[in-house]
């Protein structure tokens, strides 16, 4: 159990259930997940003011104009009334796209000297939603520690490489209703997904949840719709439903984006919940959990072993909680205090 005061700041979005699941093992009176930027609903005026073009012009004034509206300030003040002990803030990279500006982060550090700040990249830096986070991460004054799940990003930018925190699903395992499940956006993967379906369609029962995004073109949507409906990105299903469907599958299909060099959420779902994993992520071959009985790597659809997917198997990775969010939080606290003692 964590006794220190920790605030985990995530984005206010349709992905909130994913973050709640990732940190569910540690959420308590001491460890709070902040999923709201402001104490009340974001107004249209605030949305306009915090738009990137306007923010660049008036950015230095925003922490003063909206200071008492920020949920994070309210929580810090609430903790301060009871104790003067350090407060640990862990920002997840997607939350830094809009409202948490450089000026706000600096003012927090100045006003609350007992606050320690950390940043966790849950996306590779090449994705659009990580652009602002990368810019802030490179300002050495803003964060005491910066972590990333992507090994190459860590090496290139001097971040500390960590596993993505993930909490084990507590519901009982359900009997498999289909052999294979995939959930994700197209993201340039339409042709590979179609090739995989063509390879499996006559022998393997598959369940597909595929979504378009801003970069998805009509050709990609047509490609997907030869075997399943391509949902609009506004239809993204709650993560609780993704987990339910995952638990009903015998095997999880994981397809990484080009340029990504870290394990995806699908990997953690498989390991933590004892599901077979079919993946084109080469890094799994170096994982301590790699076991060809339970994990199959492929670089093209032709390499997929259909019989391996269909073969009944009682999966047991022997997972011992290595991805628990408590490990990341304790690491952050330890490294902050070690730095503070110098």
């Amino acid at each position: 159990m964590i006794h220190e005061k920790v605030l985990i700041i995530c984005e206010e979005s349709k992905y909130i259930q994913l973050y709640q699941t990732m940190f569910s093992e540690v959420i308590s009176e001491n460890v709070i997940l902040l999923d709201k930027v402001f104490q009340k609903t974001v107004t249209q005026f605030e949305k306009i003011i915090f738009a990137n073009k306007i923010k660049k012009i008036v950015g230095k004034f925003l922490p003063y104009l909206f200071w008492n509206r920020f949920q994070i300030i309210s929580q810090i003040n609430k903790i301060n009334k009871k104790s003067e002990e350090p407060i640990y803030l862990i920002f997840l990279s997607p939350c830094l796209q809009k409202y948490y500006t450089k000026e706000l982060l600096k003012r927090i550090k100045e006003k609350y000297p007992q606050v320690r700040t950390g940043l966790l990249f849950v996306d590779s830096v090449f994705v659009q939603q990580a652009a602002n986070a990368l810019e802030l991460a490179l300002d050495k004054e803003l964060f005491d520690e910066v972590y990333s799940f992507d090994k190459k990003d860590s090496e290139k930018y001097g971040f500390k490489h960590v596993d993505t925190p993930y909490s084990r699903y507590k519901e009982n395992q359900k009997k498999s209703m289909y052999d294979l499940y995939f959930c994700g956006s197209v993201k340039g993967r339409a042709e590979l997904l179609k090739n995989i379906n063509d390879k499996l369609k006559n022998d393997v029962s598959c369940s597909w949840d595929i979504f378009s995004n801003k970069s998805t073109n009509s050709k990609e949507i047509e490609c997907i719709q030869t075997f399943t409906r391509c949902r609009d990105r506004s239809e993204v299903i709650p993560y609780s439903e993704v987990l339910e469907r995952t638990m009903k599958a015998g095997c999880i299909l994981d397809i990484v984006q080009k340029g990504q060099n870290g394990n995806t959420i699908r990997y953690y779902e498989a390991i933590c919940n004892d599901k077979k994993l079919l993946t084109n992520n080469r890094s799994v071959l170096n994982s301590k959990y790699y076991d060809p009985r339970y994990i199959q790597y492929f670089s093209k659809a032709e390499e997929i072993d259909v019989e391996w997917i269909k073969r009944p198997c009682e999966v047991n990775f022997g997972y011992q909680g290595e991805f628990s969010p408590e490990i990341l939080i304790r690491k952050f606290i330890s490294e902050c205090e070690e730095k503070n003692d110098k």
Side-chain angles (χ1 to χ4, degrees), residues 127-310:
V127 303
Q128 186 178 1
Q129 65 180 14
N132 283 348
L134 177 60
E135 183 179 340
L136 295 172
L138 296 178
D139 186 329
K140 303 301 181 183
E141 296 181 2
L142 299 181
F143 298 102
D144 295 288
E145 301 290 346
V146 179
Y147 304 102
S148 174
F149 82 104
D150 189 304
K151 193 169 185 179
K152 287 194 176 179
D153 285 351
S154 299
E155 292 170 352
K156 181 175 180 178
Y157 296 103
F159 306 153
K160 293 182 178 178
H161 179 248
V162 294
D163 285 308
T164 299
Y166 194 81
S167 300
R168 200 167 197 168
Y169 190 53
K170 294 180 180 179
E171 296 297 321
N172 293 329
Q173 294 268 1
K174 295 179 173 65
K175 184 178 179 181
S176 296
M177 295 181 63
Y178 29 81
D179 298 318
L180 188 78
Y181 177 58
F182 174 82
C183 180
S185 297
V186 177
K187 294 179 180 176
R189 300 176 282 190
E191 185 177 355
L192 178 56
L193 285 165
K194 181 181 182 302
N195 290 343
I196 291 172
N197 180 71
D198 289 344
K199 167 83 174 181
L200 304 181
K201 62 184 178 182
N202 294 326
D203 302 293
V204 176
S205 59
C206 301
S207 177
W208 307 94
D209 282 320
I210 303 175
F211 305 89
S212 65
N213 54 34
K214 290 180 181 179
S215 63
T216 308
N217 57 49
S218 57
K219 185 177 179 180
E220 289 177 313
I221 292 176
E222 287 176 15
C223 186
I224 296 299
Q225 289 180 334
T226 59
F227 64 94
T228 190
R229 183 170 73 93
C230 185
R231 301 165 181 254
D232 183 82
R233 60 182 176 274
S234 63
E235 293 184 82
V236 172
I237 58 179
Y239 187 66
S240 57
E241 290 185 31
V242 174
L243 269 181
E244 284 186 16
R245 297 179 194 194
T246 298
M247 300 307 285
K248 293 176 182 177
C251 180
I252 301 169
L253 174 60
D254 173 38
I255 303 177
V256 294
Q257 297 180 65
K258 187 177 181 180
Q260 182 174 319
N261 293 281
N263 293 318
T264 71
I265 286 296
R266 305 286 93 88
Y267 168 83
Y268 295 101
E269 290 168 350
I271 303 302
C272 295
N273 299 303
D274 289 324
K275 291 289 181 180
K276 286 197 287 189
L277 181 69
L278 175 64
T279 180
N280 69 340
N281 187 353
R282 193 173 184 82
S283 66
V284 299
L285 300 176
N286 299 317
S287 164
K288 67 171 283 186
Y289 285 110
Y290 176 70
D291 184 326
R293 294 176 298 171
Y294 311 141
I295 298 177
Q296 183 184 136
Y297 165 76
F298 69 97
S299 60
K300 50 189 178 182
E302 292 79 7
E303 298 173 352
I304 295 174
D305 183 348
V306 174
E307 292 306 315
W308 176 86
I309 298 173
K310 294 176 60 180

Side-chain angles (χ1 to χ4, degrees), residues 64-97:
Y64 300 92
L65 292 172
F66 299 98
W67 183 257
N68 292 321
R69 286 271 286 129
F70 282 101
Q71 183 78 3
I72 190 172
I73 303 305
S74 173
Q75 287 293 335
I76 292 173
N77 288 336
K78 191 181 295 184
I79 295 169
N80 263 350
K81 287 181 181 178
K82 299 179 181 179
S83 170
E84 295 183 357
E85 292 297 309
I87 302 170
Y88 299 90
L89 311 182
I90 299 177
F91 292 85
L92 305 189
S93 53
C95 82
L96 298 176
Q97 294 180 74

